[in-house]
């Protein structure tokens, strides 16, 4: 038996899940992990495109059944849903702002506490499948927090396109973008149009958000600030790959 079964069972019970859902969800998670390795190999062998590979990895039938089982437990208990990119700290930041990320939904919070497997590539597709189902619960504004921008990320390549589908059906759903920067003391702040750090600022489009984030990283970022070195490096690499000045 998997060593985390007891933790999963007890945490699911504390969250109010029926025992039948707990038992079935656990079997689907383990089945998905067991099947994922073969799907990962097939994705690399059959497809050259990043999104095609991601789609094939996410075709895991165990994970698809898991979403059907627990879909209603991905609902949010705040007015607004949150998506993020740039490290788990950003998820905690969004939650503190009053928005609900996937990791803070009833089921997401349970799975987030588990290791399940040391091979992240076996469980990432599960999170990808869960995230796609999660954004379908949007009923109003969705706040997106960007500490780093990667056009190939799940956020940009999967979650936002799925949100566009939801937006076409529900005009109340709109995207609110937040450029996030970790200051020298590690505190997360947001970047204004004048390239200053504030406790809260937002933009109606992705391009405006990414522009001020990149400008801040490129022009204001202190190389001695270890908290934002990774974001700066990713920004620099992305600009270089597109032939843009840094």
């Amino acid at each position: 038996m998997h060593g985390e079964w007891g933790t999963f069972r007890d945490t699911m019970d504390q969250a109010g899940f029926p025992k039948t859902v707990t038992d079935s969800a656990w079997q689907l998670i383990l089945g998905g992990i067991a099947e994922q390795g073969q799907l990962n190999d097939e994705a690399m062998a059959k497809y050259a495109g990043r999104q095609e590979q991601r789609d094939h990895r996410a075709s895991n039938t165990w994970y698809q059944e898991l979403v059907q089982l627990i879909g209603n437990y991905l609902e949010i208990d705040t007015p607004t849903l949150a998506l993020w990119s740039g490290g788990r700290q950003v998820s905690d930041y969004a939650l503190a702002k009053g928005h609900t990320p996937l990791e803070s939904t009833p089921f997401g919070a349970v799975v987030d506490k588990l290791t399940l497997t040391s091979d992240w590539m076996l469980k990432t597709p599960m999170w990808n499948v869960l995230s796609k189902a999660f954004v379908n619960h949007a009923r109003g504004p969705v706040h997106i927090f960007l500490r780093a921008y990667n056009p190939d990320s799940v956020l940009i390549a999967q979650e936002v396109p799925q949100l566009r589908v939801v937006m076409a059906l529900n005009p109340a759903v709109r995207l609110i973008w937040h450029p996030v920067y970790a200051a020298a003391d590690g505190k997360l702040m947001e970047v204004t149009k004048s390239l200053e750090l504030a406790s809260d600022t937002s933009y109606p489009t992705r391009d405006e958000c990414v522009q001020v984030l990149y400008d801040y990283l490129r022009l204001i970022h202190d190389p001695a600030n270890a908290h934002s070195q990774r974001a700066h490096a990713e920004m620099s690499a992305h600009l270089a790959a597109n032939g843009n000045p840094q």
Side-chain angles (χ1 to χ4, degrees):
M1 180 176 291
H2 191 285
E4 289 185 302
W5 158 244
T7 301
F8 180 79
R9 179 197 59 216
D10 294 346
T11 310
M12 290 282 281
D13 182 63
Q14 292 166 11
F17 284 85
K19 184 179 184 301
T20 53
V21 172
T22 297
D23 292 342
S24 297
W26 183 247
Q27 294 305 315
L28 291 171
I29 290 171
L30 294 187
I33 290 173
E35 182 178 300
Q36 193 61 52
Q38 179 180 344
L39 289 172
N40 291 348
D41 292 342
E42 290 174 357
M44 296 300 293
K46 293 182 177 180
Y47 304 103
R50 179 77 176 271
Q51 188 57 46
E52 290 177 318
Q53 293 173 354
R54 182 181 287 139
D55 289 343
H56 189 74
R57 288 194 293 266
S59 67
N60 191 318
T61 55
W62 295 86
Y63 292 156
Q64 297 290 343
E65 288 186 35
L66 176 66
V67 165
Q68 293 177 17
L69 175 70
I70 55 83
N72 290 336
Y73 299 100
L74 296 176
E75 293 182 348
I76 64 175
D77 57 6
T78 61
T80 47
L81 181 151
L83 301 177
W84 56 272
S85 179
R88 176 53 194 272
Q89 184 185 8
V90 186
S91 175
D92 297 336
Y93 174 81
L95 180 63
K97 287 283 187 179
H99 315 294
T100 301
L102 172 59
E103 299 79 18
S104 298
T105 60
F107 187 73
V110 172
V111 180
D112 190 50
K113 292 180 173 65
L114 305 176
T115 300
L116 296 174
T117 171
S118 59
D119 187 346
W120 183 252
M121 289 300 294
L122 297 181
K123 57 186 175 182
T124 295
M126 177 184 67
W127 281 107
N128 293 351
V129 171
L130 290 173
S131 72
K132 189 172 183 179
F134 173 58
V135 300
N136 285 329
H137 287 286
R139 299 293 181 266
V142 176
H143 289 259
I144 302 175
F145 296 85
L146 280 183
R147 185 176 173 185
Y149 174 71
N150 179 355
D152 290 328
S153 67
V154 171
L155 169 65
I156 300 301
Q158 175 177 295
E159 292 173 339
V160 171
Q162 184 63 27
L163 274 173
R164 302 288 185 195
V165 175
V166 176
M167 291 166 67
L169 300 174
N170 185 352
V173 177
R174 59 189 177 92
L175 309 186
I176 302 174
W177 298 79
H178 300 258
V180 178
Y181 180 83
D185 61 359
K187 182 179 180 180
L188 297 187
M189 303 288 285
E190 300 183 25
V191 184
T192 69
K193 288 183 178 179
S194 57
L195 301 187
E196 297 177 337
L197 297 181
S199 60
D200 184 74
T201 189
S202 62
Y203 300 85
T205 69
R206 178 201 64 186
D207 291 350
E208 291 176 272
C209 175
V210 173
Q211 183 65 58
V212 296
L213 180 61
Y214 271 16
D215 284 348
Y216 194 91
L217 287 168
R218 185 169 56 88
L219 301 172
I220 310 297
H221 167 71
D222 181 358
N225 179 2
H227 296 289
S228 288
Q229 283 180 351
R230 180 173 179 178
H232 181 268
E234 290 181 2
M235 179 273 299
S236 298
H238 181 59
L239 290 179
N242 285 278
N244 297 317
Q246 300 177 49

